[in-house]
């Protein structure tokens, strides 16, 4: 079996005495597309930032992050070593394409820069040519090379960020909510470009989002995070059709607008008068960091919680497929 | 048929055009014009839940601003409950300000950070010269599912979903008959989105409101609204019952929009990102 591209073991992230991410294990195989889902404040972005070593100064990670082809641990590595890896072996697409690009540099120079810094193109001319090629791959016209970021729309900017991320054929591409700020038709295009991009380079993909439908479309495997912990993981089809953790179950129910409008059909015909189906919700809200309950992090919002949940549930299943819940949803769940 | 005066439609928009002049680019040529709305007509009946769907820049926010008389059309007419508002001066729009209220997209920027929640909720009452009673504020907080001590706190002490509840309470304060929601859930997480959608849905039923719900997400609109208008490039390209538009879109733009929405069901039955684009290429 080929070694995994990314191996994260026992990742903890804390700020002073508040634990933000606890004991996250995560592997991404070669060419695999893995999704990381959860609500705001569940620790998804912190996990991604600690892989890249981009956490703010007072936020401290511990544990182990190994990347294929790199002979040292990324956690605790010095800045010089990390900056040789970032943009070459490991690239990221951020949520806000507006802030990810340099407003004072032309698009072409920004794409070429990443290749010149890592010496993957010998000369400036070669890098420019490669930049034009990359621009073509993300279906943008070549005359945008001389444009500045403010001249582009959100979707165009996100495609530029993607072109920069893919410039050096990274082993792993991390996307943090890359399409949240975009319209649906543009989102469809950007998602397709991301998937085509990683497929063409056989790069691995770690895709972070809170949109379950997007994850289901893009990824093969998914990890569900809540309260800084991975609460469930497995192949997309299995997790989304037969969720075991109560949080996953709640998320699925809350995001399924289709099921909430059952096949009765009468609501469509009779305007307004028929009683509407309600969406299923998870009671309460995500607590602030450091205010999650001890034991099972979800127990204060869970309808199945018992006294047993005051102890941290053990991981059931294999490292890649399993859940951490004392009262898992059974197969009886329709 | 749209002529029938009884009962007057909640909102009637007749052939509205709104052009925005852009800065001059040359001394010799006239300033270029952005055609934000190019002849939009629609009618929202009393008690109806009407959705407006479209992408950024299609003119849906311009349309909302015109309906709320925050902006004036270049040409065309807008009638709210049978009264034409197009040429009324601000001082004669009081009936509109009482009967039509808005909930905005970004709950952080639409609440004054220096005001306590109870003052935020009472402000529409104060402005319109009603006594802002403590009971009314408590009643509103209760209606949107916030505890009564929430009134003493400031907006930054609340999460996004709670702030959106505050916006809704503020909108309901003057007992409006028409509620306009401009992308009220697009900044929220899925589980919170479900809570806020349920809340809006319940309140509209309870208070017999007319709802105009604007969103870029057709699946959300489908859940909330009876009828929907799809906008593209300043025009309405398709109108109909939401279920029909979603299931069998007629206009090529609507077809592209519907096929681009990722859904769990389609994804689990093997749809890929290429399928999201599939209809876009033929259109």
């Amino acid at each position: 079996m080929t070694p995994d591209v990314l191996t994260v073991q026992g990742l903890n992230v804390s700020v002073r005495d508040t634990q933000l991410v606890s004991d996250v294990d995560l592997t991404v195989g070669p060419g695999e597309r893995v999704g990381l889902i959860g609500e705001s404040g569940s620790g998804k972005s912190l996990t991604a930032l600690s892989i890249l070593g981009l956490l703010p100064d007072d936020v401290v990670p511990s544990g182990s992050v190994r990347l294929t082809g790199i002979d040292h641990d990324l956690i605790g590595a010095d800045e010089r070593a990390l900056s040789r890896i970032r943009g070459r072996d490991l690239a990221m697409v951020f949520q806000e394409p507006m802030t990810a690009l340099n407003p004072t540099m032309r698009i072409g120079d920004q794409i070429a820069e990443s290749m010149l810094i890592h010496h993957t193109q010998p000369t400036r001319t070669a890098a420019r040519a490669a930049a034009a090629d990359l621009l073509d791959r993300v279906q943008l016209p070549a005359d945008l090379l001389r444009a500045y970021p403010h001249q582009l729309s959100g979707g165009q900017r996100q495609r530029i960020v993607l072109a920069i991320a893919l410039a050096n054929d990274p082993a792993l591409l991390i996307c943090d909510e890359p399409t949240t700020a975009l319209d649906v038709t543009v989102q469809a295009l950007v998602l397709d470009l991301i998937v085509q991009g990683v497929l063409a380079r056989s790069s691995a993909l770690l895709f972070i989002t809170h949109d379950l439908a997007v994850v289901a479309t893009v990824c093969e495997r998914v990890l569900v995070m809540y309260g800084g912990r991975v609460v469930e993981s497995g192949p997309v089809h299995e997790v989304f059709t037969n969720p075991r953790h109560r949080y996953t179950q709640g998320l699925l129910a809350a995001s399924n607008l289709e099921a909430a409008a059952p096949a009765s059909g009468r609501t469509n015909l009779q305007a307004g008068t028929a009683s509407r189906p309600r969406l299923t919700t998870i009671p309460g809200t995500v607590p602030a960091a450091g205010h999650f309950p001890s034991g099972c992090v979800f127990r204060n919002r869970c309808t199945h919680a018992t006294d047993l949940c005051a102890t941290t549930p053990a991981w059931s299943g294999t490292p890649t497929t399993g859940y951490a819940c004392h009262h898992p949803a059974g197969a009886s769940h329709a | 048929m749209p002529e029938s005066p009884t009962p007057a439609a909640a909102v009637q928009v007749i052939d509205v055009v709104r052009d925005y002049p852009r800065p001059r680019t040359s001394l010799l040529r006239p300033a270029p014009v952005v055609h934000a709305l190019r002849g939009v007509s629609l009618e929202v009946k009393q008690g109806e839940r009407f959705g407006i769907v479209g992408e950024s820049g299609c003119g849906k926010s311009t349309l909302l601003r015109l309906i709320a008389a925050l902006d004036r059309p270049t040409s065309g007419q807008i009638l709210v409950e049978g009264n034409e508002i197009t040429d009324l001066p601000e001082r004669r729009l009081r009936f509109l300000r009482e009967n039509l209220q808005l909930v905005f997209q970004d709950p952080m920027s639409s609440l004054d950070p220096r005001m306590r929640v109870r003052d935020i909720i009472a402000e529409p009452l104060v402005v319109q010269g009603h006594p802002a009673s403590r009971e009314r504020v408590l009643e509103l907080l209760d209606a949107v599912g916030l505890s009564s001590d929430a009134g003493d706190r400031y907006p930054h002490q609340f999460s996004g979903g709670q702030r959106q509840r505050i916006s809704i309470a503020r909108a309901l304060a003057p007992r409006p008959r028409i509620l306009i929601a401009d992308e009220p859930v697009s900044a929220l997480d899925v589980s919170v989105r479900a809570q806020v959608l349920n809340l809006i849905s319940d309140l509209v039923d309870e208070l017999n409101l007319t709802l105009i719900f604007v969103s870029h997400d057709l699946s959300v609109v489908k859940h909330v609204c009876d009828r929907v208008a799809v906008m593209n490039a300043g025009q309405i390209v398709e109108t109909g019952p939401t279920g029909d538009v979603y299931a069998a879109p007629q206009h090529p733009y609507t077809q592209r929009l519907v096929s681009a929405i990722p859904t769990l069901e389609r994804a689990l039955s093997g749809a890929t990102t290429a399928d999201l684009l599939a209809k876009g290429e033929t259109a």
Side-chain angles (χ1 to χ4, degrees):
Chain A
M1 188 182 149
T2 45
D4 289 324
V5 174
L6 175 75
T7 312
V8 176
Q9 275 175 340
L11 178 72
N12 289 292
V13 177
S14 55
V15 53
R16 274 166 250 113
D17 42 4
T18 309
Q19 185 104 343
L20 302 175
V21 172
S22 319
D23 206 19
V24 167
D25 291 342
L26 162 70
T27 56
V28 184
E32 197 180 21
R33 302 191 299 275
V34 176
L36 195 55
I37 56 174
E39 293 173 87
S40 327
S42 52
K44 317 181 294 284
S45 295
L46 279 173
T47 306
L49 290 178
S50 36
I51 294 170
L52 280 159
L54 288 176
L55 289 170
D57 279 345
D58 53 346
V59 183
V60 187
S62 64
S64 153
V65 174
R66 302 298 298 245
L67 192 67
T68 180
I70 308 297
D71 52 6
H72 57 84
D73 204 305
L74 297 192
I75 285 188
D78 64 48
E79 189 56 33
R80 282 173 61 91
L82 280 175
S83 56
R84 273 198 291 273
I85 297 166
R86 280 188 218 126
R88 197 188 63 193
D89 305 293
L90 189 59
M92 181 146 173
V93 175
F94 293 91
Q95 178 175 1
E96 272 295 323
M98 192 56 153
T99 50
L101 293 171
N102 183 345
T104 66
M105 259 173 97
R106 292 185 194 275
I107 297 298
D109 293 340
Q110 296 198 43
I111 304 178
E113 186 188 33
S114 60
M115 292 177 277
L116 290 169
I117 285 175
H118 293 291
H119 307 290
T120 47
Q121 294 291 342
T123 62
R124 190 164 287 268
T125 328
R128 286 257 169 82
D133 187 44
L134 281 162
L135 210 55
D136 186 53
R137 294 282 179 75
V138 294
Q139 297 175 23
L140 289 173
D143 49 345
L144 284 187
L145 283 174
R146 295 192 51 78
Y148 286 98
H150 74 267
Q151 295 172 301
L152 309 181
S153 70
Q156 288 175 324
R157 281 191 211 126
Q158 198 60 293
R159 284 189 266 168
I160 300 290
V161 175
L162 179 65
I164 296 174
L166 293 176
N168 293 325
D169 301 341
L172 176 70
L173 177 70
I174 303 179
C175 295
D176 188 1
E177 309 246 7
T179 58
T180 316
L182 306 178
D183 283 320
V184 275
T185 49
V186 185
Q187 163 173 288
L189 176 61
V190 172
L191 289 180
D192 192 46
L193 289 172
I194 291 175
V195 171
Q196 301 308 330
V198 294
L199 284 181
R201 291 166 176 79
S202 40
S203 304
L205 176 69
L206 180 62
F207 195 95
I208 300 175
T209 180
H210 64 260
D211 191 330
L212 305 195
V214 168
V215 162
T217 314
V218 172
C219 300
E220 300 154 337
R221 206 152 60 76
V222 65
L223 290 98
V224 185
M225 277 190 86
Y226 181 79
R229 288 174 185 278
V230 176
V231 295
E232 179 159 7
S233 72
V236 165
H237 198 271
E238 196 168 321
V239 172
F240 285 175
T241 49
N242 187 16
R244 304 304 302 274
H245 198 282
R246 297 293 173 182
Y247 177 65
T248 319
Q249 205 183 12
L251 264 190
L252 278 167
S255 61
N256 199 344
L257 299 167
E258 307 289 321
S264 63
R266 75 202 144 90
T267 44
N268 294 340
L269 302 172
Q270 271 177 29
T273 47
S275 68
R276 273 160 190 285
R278 293 174 59 83
L279 293 171
T280 323
T281 61
I282 303 175
T285 51
V286 183
H291 291 83
F292 285 94
S294 60
C296 174
V297 279
F298 188 56
R299 74 186 158 105
N300 61 341
R301 295 175 72 192
C302 183
T303 48
H304 295 80
T306 58
D307 292 342
L308 182 63
C309 298
T311 56
T312 308
W315 187 258
S316 327
T318 64
T320 51
T321 306
Y323 54 91
C325 184
H326 288 299
H327 308 286
S332 61
H333 168 64
Chain B
M1 286 178 308
E3 304 293 306
S4 66
T6 49
V11 174
Q12 208 176 346
V13 176
I14 305 163
D15 200 26
V16 161
V17 172
R18 179 68 173 104
D19 296 336
Y20 291 106
R22 285 176 46 196
R24 289 184 90 109
T25 49
S26 157
L27 278 175
L28 305 174
R29 265 165 277 161
V33 171
V34 178
H35 304 284
L37 294 178
R38 320 161 179 239
V40 169
S41 299
L42 58 85
E43 188 179 309
V44 183
K45 296 188 193 70
Q46 297 278 6
E48 195 176 23
R49 294 150 161 249
F50 192 81
I52 301 174
V53 185
E55 303 196 342
S56 342
C58 73
K60 52 190 195 306
S61 294
T62 304
L63 181 60
L64 276 196
R65 289 172 55 81
L66 293 174
I67 293 174
L70 299 170
D71 189 12
R72 301 300 163 106
T74 310
S75 70
Q77 283 179 303
I78 297 166
L79 285 79
V80 175
E81 297 186 325
N83 304 306
E84 183 168 353
I85 59 164
T86 330
D87 295 315
L88 288 184
E90 182 62 40
R91 64 190 160 79
R92 291 182 56 198
L93 284 174
R94 200 171 137 170
F95 80 95
L96 183 73
R97 301 277 176 253
E98 285 191 28
N99 288 331
L100 184 145
Q101 284 285 324
L102 290 126
V103 175
F104 294 97
Q105 173 174 10
D106 184 352
M108 194 70 245
S109 59
S110 58
L111 300 175
D112 188 335
R114 291 171 300 181
M115 281 171 81
R116 288 182 194 275
V117 167
R118 67 172 125 78
D119 298 324
I120 291 175
I121 295 176
E123 197 179 20
L125 298 171
V126 176
V127 169
Q128 287 160 13
H130 296 292
S133 70
R134 203 180 137 70
E135 288 74 48
R136 177 74 181 138
V137 172
L138 289 179
E139 188 186 311
L140 285 162
L141 281 174
D142 183 56
V144 297
L146 290 172
S147 63
S148 49
D149 63 319
D152 298 326
R153 293 193 274 158
Y154 289 94
H156 74 262
Q157 293 170 295
F158 294 89
S159 68
Q162 288 171 320
R163 276 186 228 135
Q164 207 55 298
R165 286 170 192 267
I166 297 169
S167 298
I168 294 170
R170 173 179 63 179
L172 295 177
R175 302 184 196 275
R177 288 196 290 271
I178 304 169
L179 183 69
I180 298 185
D182 186 2
E183 306 251 11
V185 294
S186 58
L188 306 176
D189 269 322
V190 271
S191 71
V192 185
R193 180 182 77 176
Q195 290 172 356
V196 172
L197 286 177
N198 278 343
L199 175 69
I200 292 179
S201 204
D202 290 349
L203 289 170
V204 167
D205 275 349
E206 247 167 64
L207 306 171
N208 283 322
L209 302 177
T210 304
L211 176 71
I212 300 181
F213 190 99
V214 174
S215 177
H216 67 271
D217 191 341
L218 190 51
S219 51
V220 171
V221 167
K222 174 173 171 261
H223 181 72
V224 179
C225 300
D226 307 318
R227 268 201 321 139
V228 64
V230 182
M231 285 188 75
N232 183 27
Q235 284 174 319
I236 292 181
V237 296
E238 185 165 357
T239 319
T242 29
D244 297 354
V245 171
Y246 193 80
Q250 300 299 314
H251 192 277
Y253 175 76
T254 320
Q255 290 169 357
R256 204 165 75 215
L257 199 65
V258 170
S259 74
I261 300 170
T263 66
L264 271 180
E265 277 164 47
R266 277 170 60 201
L268 292 179
S269 54
T272 62
T273 50
D275 294 329
L276 297 181
L277 289 169
K279 274 188 184 151
E281 278 152 19
T282 58

